[in-house]
Amino acid sequence: MADASIEFKGTSFTLSVLHIKTAELANIRADLVKKVSQAPDFFYLVPIVVNIEQLDCSIDYQAVKSLIEELKFTFVGFTGAVGNEQRKLIRELGFSFVNTSKIEHSQKNPQEQQALVKEPQAITASPEKHLFTDKIHRGQIRSGQQIYAKAQNLVVIGSVSAGAEVIADGNIHIYGSLRGRAIAGAQGHDKAQIYCQNLEAELVSINGNYWLSESMEQHWGSPAFINLTDSELSSAKLI
Amino acid sequence: MARIIVVTSGKGGVGKTTSSAAIGLGLALKGHKVVLIDFDIGLRNLDLIMGCERRVVYDFVNVINGEATLNQALIKDKRVSSLSILPASQTRDKDALNKENVGKVLEELGKSYDFIVCDSPAGIEAGAMMALYYADEAVVTTNPEVSSVRDSDRILGMLASRSRRAELGLEPIKEHLLLTRYSPKRVEEGEMLSVEDVEDILSIPLLGVIPESQAVLKASNAGEPVILDTESDAGKAYQDVIDRLLGETVDFRFLVAEKKGIFSRMFGG
């Protein structure tokens, strides 16, 4: 039987996380008051998760919650890479323990952190991650020439002539005129963008959506960038 | 070492042979030893423009095939002794040339000449590739209209990728833009691309602007390269081209339409 009146769905939010580095509540209070006084409106009723992983000793969780609420934050729960016993204790006190999806915040284990730093380099070639390196071409790309930056962004220091074609799996930056064809996000990447200092292209395409020159009238002959918004190409003035 | 200059364009009929003849003769008139080679095998024209068509016995293909020596095939110009012409074959086609043998001929010529001017056929096929392969410099002949400019752009791409210098990773071919059949009046009327437009699209240094001139056709039919017509605008403009090729800085002329004053109208100046 379906619940017509309610529905549960998982959604990601950005929450403010307060990292506490000491169990001395008086110090925490003093620093918090100082912080809030700098921008009272900004902090008013802001949901707060308290990260306790940098604490070496236990703390009065109830007192922390009271302090947070007293300063007009909305207390959500605790988080941090702590042992199971501590989690259990927190739950028994009636507070929620929030698990972060990423463990990047972990500062306890430097080895683990190093591994995390290495990871993005290893996956730069994967289009899914869109962490492309740059292929840099110096000089003009002439009519009949074709340049493909596979799993890379393409940077052209020069113009792209009519009848020339530049293709990249990532973004395309042209420090010159774009008079030929530019195809960005060629392997399927709808966040890819095309930048040029003078838009006079025959064709621009992002992730399979394309424009012929007649669609570029608005920014024709001026510095422009082109991106994909809701599967529709749009252009904007660059400077 | 001789400077090997290819006169090329991609598009046909823009003035490659006229320019080759003018440049070859102009350099020779300055006292340099020059050989002009017609690479347009099957469509031999350079000998006509140079006025030596009746003196062709052996040609470039004969030399390539070892049927004649270079000295037998080279025609000495009657006007300037330091200029020779190596004519193309009219009966063969462009496949008659091959890189290795062309290289040998150029090397041999390089020993006794200061400049080797190669008149390229139109197109981007084997013949044109052969003409530009060994070049040190290229004079890209362009008319101020869009199709010619695009074809020149294509040839510039070839120069940068298909030449010997490109293949060996040497210093790239030095590119020069030669704008021919330029009519300032039509530029002002918006019918023709301006020098600035063409420079902007091709972005290579400008070597010369040759104005559209009746003198060019007259010179071609007479077999007297237009550079010899020192009274004509085109002749003067080619003279400037020679000076620039030899490293001098010369102001560009004939870029604005002449305003006819009352006196020139009255006296038909």
Side-chain angles (χ1 to χ4, degrees):
Chain A
M1 209 176 78
D3 304 317
S5 61
I6 55 161
E7 191 180 5
F8 270 107
K9 275 189 170 179
T11 309
S12 300
F13 295 96
T14 300
L15 288 177
S16 296
V17 179
L18 177 70
H19 292 257
I20 53 176
K21 299 170 182 177
T22 172
E24 296 292 327
L25 281 169
N27 293 350
I28 296 172
R29 167 190 283 274
D31 287 342
L32 262 180
V33 167
K34 203 169 131 195
K35 200 83 186 166
V36 170
S37 67
Q38 289 168 2
D41 291 342
F42 178 79
F43 287 113
Y44 182 68
L45 292 183
V46 160
I48 287 284
V49 179
V50 179
N51 188 311
I52 50 168
E53 72 183 34
Q54 288 179 56
L55 284 178
D56 320 329
C57 51
S58 66
I59 191 169
D60 184 345
Y61 298 110
Q62 182 63 55
V64 171
K65 183 192 180 238
S66 306
L67 175 62
I68 296 292
E69 287 177 343
E70 184 195 327
L71 293 169
K72 299 292 178 211
F73 291 97
T74 306
F75 180 77
V76 177
F78 291 98
T79 188
V82 292
N84 280 334
E85 269 181 44
Q86 216 168 341
R87 290 179 191 218
K88 208 174 150 196
L89 176 66
I90 288 168
R91 286 180 69 90
E92 278 170 5
L93 285 166
F95 305 125
S96 62
F97 191 88
V98 187
N99 287 312
T100 53
S101 54
K102 292 173 202 154
I103 42 169
E104 283 163 67
H105 302 297
S106 167
Q107 290 180 359
K108 276 199 168 168
N109 190 343
Q111 269 184 342
E112 193 179 18
Q113 242 192 346
Q114 266 186 353
L116 274 166
V117 171
K118 273 181 190 164
E119 198 186 355
Q121 288 173 345
I123 55 166
T124 42
S126 157
E128 283 75 31
K129 298 292 177 184
H130 307 314
L131 290 164
F132 295 127
T133 56
D134 294 329
K135 180 190 181 92
I136 298 169
H137 178 95
R138 278 182 190 276
Q140 190 151 2
I141 299 175
R142 304 281 182 186
S143 185
Q145 292 182 320
Q146 195 185 49
I147 305 264
Y148 178 31
K150 189 175 166 59
Q152 278 183 308
N153 299 314
L154 178 61
V155 179
V156 180
I157 302 169
S159 294
V160 177
S161 294
E165 199 167 70
V166 287
I167 308 169
D169 290 344
N171 304 324
I172 297 176
H173 305 257
I174 298 159
Y175 295 94
S177 296
L178 170 58
R179 298 193 176 94
R181 295 160 168 247
I183 295 157
Q187 296 269 19
H189 172 22
D190 56 12
K191 294 281 187 290
Q193 301 195 341
I194 298 169
Y195 304 81
C196 64
Q197 288 190 321
N198 178 23
L199 179 67
E200 291 179 8
E202 291 169 350
L203 177 145
V204 290
S205 165
I206 296 171
N207 195 11
N209 302 274
Y210 69 90
W211 265 356
L212 295 174
S213 33
E214 58 204 24
S215 308
M216 301 171 209
E217 274 166 15
Q218 199 188 348
H219 296 102
W220 191 260
S222 56
F225 78 90
I226 292 151
N227 65 359
L228 197 59
T229 322
D230 301 329
S231 299
E232 294 261 356
L233 288 179
S234 65
S235 62
K237 213 165 176 285
L238 197 57
I239 39 174
Chain B
M1 267 301 282
R3 278 165 74 178
I4 304 178
I5 302 175
V6 62
V7 180
T8 186
S9 72
K11 194 171 166 62
V14 296
K16 282 183 298 296
T17 303
T18 301
S19 298
S20 301
I23 290 170
L25 193 61
L27 289 169
L29 284 168
K30 291 273 182 183
H32 298 283
K33 295 195 74 182
V34 183
V35 59
L36 263 170
I37 306 179
D38 191 351
F39 272 82
D40 204 348
I41 313 295
L43 294 168
R44 197 179 82 196
N45 282 167
L46 185 65
D47 52 322
L48 287 170
I49 307 292
M50 293 302 295
C52 63
E53 72 276 13
R54 290 167 198 281
R55 296 163 60 208
V56 176
V57 182
Y58 294 106
D59 58 48
F60 194 9
V61 174
N62 294 138
V63 178
I64 291 284
N65 293 344
E67 296 152 4
T69 65
L70 258 178
N71 282 334
Q72 285 175 306
L74 285 171
I75 304 169
K76 260 206 165 15
D77 191 86
K78 284 197 169 165
R79 293 155 294 216
V80 194
S81 62
S82 62
L83 175 67
S84 299
I85 297 122
L86 184 56
S89 167
Q90 183 70 353
T91 52
R92 305 293 291 272
D93 62 31
K94 291 172 176 69
D95 299 330
L97 301 180
N98 64 65
K99 260 182 207 171
E100 196 191 343
N101 290 348
V102 169
K104 278 184 196 160
V105 171
L106 291 177
E107 198 186 330
E108 188 66 30
L109 289 169
K111 289 176 189 161
S112 36
Y113 289 91
D114 305 323
F115 288 92
I116 301 173
V117 180
C118 305
D119 180 23
S120 171
I124 52 169
E125 288 78 31
M129 290 304 109
M130 202 61 77
L132 67 77
Y133 186 75
Y134 289 100
D136 301 312
E137 296 176 43
V139 175
V140 179
T141 314
T142 309
N143 287 170
E145 51 100 14
V146 285
S147 60
S148 174
V149 172
R150 180 173 298 188
D151 291 0
S152 293
D153 195 52
R154 185 90 166 97
I155 276 291
L156 283 164
M158 300 277 191
L159 287 167
S161 61
R162 303 273 296 274
S163 63
R164 178 179 151 271
R165 283 176 173 270
E167 282 179 7
L168 299 182
L170 302 172
E171 196 186 324
I173 292 178
K174 198 171 166 191
E175 299 153 340
H176 306 279
L177 173 62
L178 179 63
L179 211 50
T180 52
R181 308 197 68 167
Y182 193 72
S183 166
K185 191 166 162 285
R186 298 188 67 187
V187 171
E188 278 170 24
E189 285 163 5
E191 295 173 4
M192 200 177 251
L193 294 177
S194 69
V195 177
E196 293 75 26
D197 291 338
V198 180
E199 276 189 296
D200 182 43
I201 296 171
L202 296 180
S203 52
I204 58 170
L206 186 64
L207 176 69
V209 180
I210 313 299
E212 173 82 54
S213 167
Q214 300 294 329
V216 173
L217 182 65
K218 206 174 85 186
S220 295
N221 287 333
E224 293 275 314
V226 71
I227 198 165
L228 294 171
D229 186 351
T230 49
E231 296 301 305
S232 70
D233 288 357
K236 290 175 192 167
Y238 273 119
Q239 199 56 59
D240 292 350
V241 166
I242 301 303
D243 291 339
R244 290 190 199 104
L245 268 179
L246 294 173
E248 286 174 43
T249 310
V250 187
D251 286 340
F252 288 92
R253 297 193 265 182
F254 317 113
L255 297 186
V256 285
E258 260 180 67
K259 303 243 178 338
K260 283 214 167 180
I262 182 132
F263 285 103
S264 57
R265 274 189 219 174
M266 279 167 68
F267 300 113

